[in-house]
Each structure stands twice: as structure tokens, then as C-alpha cells.
Amino acid sequence: LSELEALMERMKRLQEDKEDDEASQEEMATRFEKEKKESLLVISGGICAFPHFAVLFSAFDDEIVSTDVSRYIEDPGFGYKDFARRGEDHLPTFRAQDYTWENHGFSLVNRLYSDIGHLLDEKFRMVYNLTYNTMATHEDVDTTTLRRALFNYVHCMYGIRYDDYDYGEVNQLLERSLKVYIKTVTCYPERTTKRMYDSYWRQFKHSEKVHVNLLLMEARMQAELLYALRAITRHLT
């Protein structure tokens, strides 16, 4: 099977399995913890502590460039840091049902800055729901499962868990090269290279891969807002 056909087959199989047998809450929690821990080992920049990615990273080594971003920031030490240290047994988890954008963040940010919540919510929804119902040359395809996996994987990297989502889908739908690309774009955008971009979904259109970038950026922004707004809420109460 080609990369595209294999992905579509996995999407179809996931939908059938979901209709036949749903995973228990305990199983879904275990799958989240596994995905969360593994996401910490996906390192951009040609270095990886996770052996499954070693070959992939060596292929990117010659493309990694040292981009000087100091002109854009005041703090030279500013940059992304994982939400937990590698090797820790108990990694912190942000339970989404305890503080969601829809039920908590949206109303608070509107209080802080009139109507900004509506603008942000419209932006999140538009990017998440954007689809031509195509996958490369295939038409009339429901890509909801794939879009949700992309969005939720970014939140998983930030320790955010949705109780109603089976994170086993992430592992089945997002290949290794795509996970590397996701972490690079989301956490270290200055390290992103064309080879990384070309390494995943080779049969897809550029417009579809650009949509991936939009999803990643909006997911990251929402994750950051959730942490910030939850902290403000706790301070106010």
C-alpha cells in the first residue's frame, strides 16, 4: 500500500473499531500517559533520546541550521522547554474537563479584553473545521479523525488530556516523521527545514500540509491560553 492508502485504511479501521468496541477509561488514560512520555523524547535538531527516531534524525542532520533569532527577543535564554523533565515517573497532567476553553477560558478572556474571546474562538473553530473533504487525490473523505489527532497530539505534548479521546489513534495515524515535524514546528519553528516538510505525507497537496501547520499553531496557542487563563482564574479565586 502507498503511504496515502495505508493512512486511509487505518482511519477506516479506527472508525470500525470505535463502533464495535470502545476502550475503557483506564485504557485511554494509559495510552495518554504513554503518548505523553514518548512526546518528551521526540527532540528536534538532530538529537534524539528515543531510539525509534535515531535513523530519521540522522537524515535531517545536514539540513539543521542554526538560526539566529536573538534579534527578535530580549531574553537570550528564551525558548521552548518541555513541561516535565525526561525520566520523571509522574508527569503532570492538565485535565481538560477541569478547565476547558469553551466553558472557562472563553468567558474569562472576554472579561479581561472585551470581545477578544469571540475572535479567538472563531479562529480556533475555522482552522479546526477547515477541510476540502479530500486527501491527496481522494475526494469525499471525512478527515475529522485525522484533524483531531493532530490537534490533540499538540495538547498531549503540553500535558493536556481529554478524557473522551483515545490516544491510541494518535499512534496509529501520525507516523514518526510527522511527529518529529509536529514537535519542530510547534516548539522549535526556527529549526524547521524543507526536508522535514517533504518527509511526511509525500502524496498530499501543499494546501493540505499548510493546513497541518495552521492546526499545529492554533493548537499550541490554545494550549498556552489554557495554562495562562487557568492560572489567572486561580489567582482571582
Side-chain angles (χ1 to χ4, degrees), residues 101-148:
W101 165 254
E102 293 80 6
N103 297 329
H104 305 91
F106 173 80
S107 58
L108 175 59
V109 80
N110 262 342
R111 283 173 51 197
L112 299 174
Y113 194 135
S114 181
D115 293 332
I116 192 67
H118 294 285
L119 297 174
L120 288 170
D121 191 62
E122 182 180 359
K123 185 161 71 86
F124 292 147
R125 291 178 184 276
M126 181 182 67
V127 171
Y128 187 87
N129 294 322
L130 180 64
T131 180
Y132 300 126
N133 294 312
T134 63
M135 286 181 65
T137 57
H138 295 265
E139 298 182 351
D140 298 321
V141 180
D142 183 358
T143 61
T144 303
T145 304
L146 189 55
R147 283 181 279 128
R148 190 177 185 190

Side-chain angles (χ1 to χ4, degrees), residues 34 38 41 48-57 176-177 180:
K34 179 181 178 182
E38 289 190 358
L41 300 174
C48 183
F50 197 35
H52 291 163
F53 292 93
V55 175
L56 182 62
F57 273 110
R176 294 171 185 168
S177 58
V180 172

Side-chain angles (χ1 to χ4, degrees), residues 69 73 75-82 187-191 220:
V69 296
I73 56 179
D75 179 4
F78 180 81
Y80 170 82
K81 290 184 180 180
D82 284 318
C187 306
Y188 313 97
E190 73 280 3
R191 299 180 186 177
R220 170 183 168 164

Side-chain angles (χ1 to χ4, degrees), residues 59-70:
F60 290 151
D61 282 350
D62 60 337
E63 289 263 343
I64 299 297
V65 294
S66 178
T67 305
D68 181 14
V69 296
S70 60

Side-chain angles (χ1 to χ4, degrees), residues 49-217:
F50 197 35
H52 291 163
F53 292 93
V55 175
L56 182 62
F57 273 110
S58 65
F60 290 151
D61 282 350
D62 60 337
E63 289 263 343
I64 299 297
V65 294
S66 178
T67 305
D68 181 14
V69 296
S70 60
R71 73 190 73 176
Y72 306 113
I73 56 179
E74 296 179 1
D75 179 4
F78 180 81
Y80 170 82
K81 290 184 180 180
D82 284 318
F83 69 93
R85 294 178 181 177
R86 273 176 250 126
E88 288 185 357
D89 292 330
H90 302 289
L91 303 180
T93 294
F94 185 132
R95 294 170 61 86
Q97 73 272 18
D98 294 337
Y99 198 94
T100 65
W101 165 254
E102 293 80 6
N103 297 329
H104 305 91
F106 173 80
S107 58
L108 175 59
V109 80
N110 262 342
R111 283 173 51 197
L112 299 174
Y113 194 135
S114 181
D115 293 332
I116 192 67
H118 294 285
L119 297 174
L120 288 170
D121 191 62
E122 182 180 359
K123 185 161 71 86
F124 292 147
R125 291 178 184 276
M126 181 182 67
V127 171
Y128 187 87
N129 294 322
L130 180 64
T131 180
Y132 300 126
N133 294 312
T134 63
M135 286 181 65
T137 57
H138 295 265
E139 298 182 351
D140 298 321
V141 180
D142 183 358
T143 61
T144 303
T145 304
L146 189 55
R147 283 181 279 128
R148 190 177 185 190
L150 288 164
F151 197 92
N152 284 3
Y153 181 63
V154 173
H155 280 204
C156 178
M157 290 194 307
Y158 282 83
I160 300 174
R161 181 197 168 202
Y162 294 88
D163 282 357
D164 62 346
Y165 183 69
D166 182 358
Y167 288 85
E169 295 186 7
V170 168
N171 227 20
Q172 295 191 55
L173 296 177
L174 307 186
E175 61 194 54
R176 294 171 185 168
S177 58
L178 179 51
K179 286 184 176 180
V180 172
Y181 182 78
I182 290 172
K183 183 145 191 182
T184 305
V185 170
T186 307
C187 306
Y188 313 97
E190 73 280 3
R191 299 180 186 177
T192 308
T193 66
K194 186 176 185 300
R195 183 176 294 191
M196 288 182 183
Y197 174 84
D198 292 336
S199 70
Y200 79 95
W201 290 1
R202 295 174 180 85
Q203 297 170 291
F204 281 65
K205 301 173 185 175
H206 287 298
S207 60
E208 292 169 318
K209 297 178 80 167
V210 168
H211 184 208
V212 170
N213 285 359
L214 294 175
L215 271 172
L216 302 184
M217 292 295 96

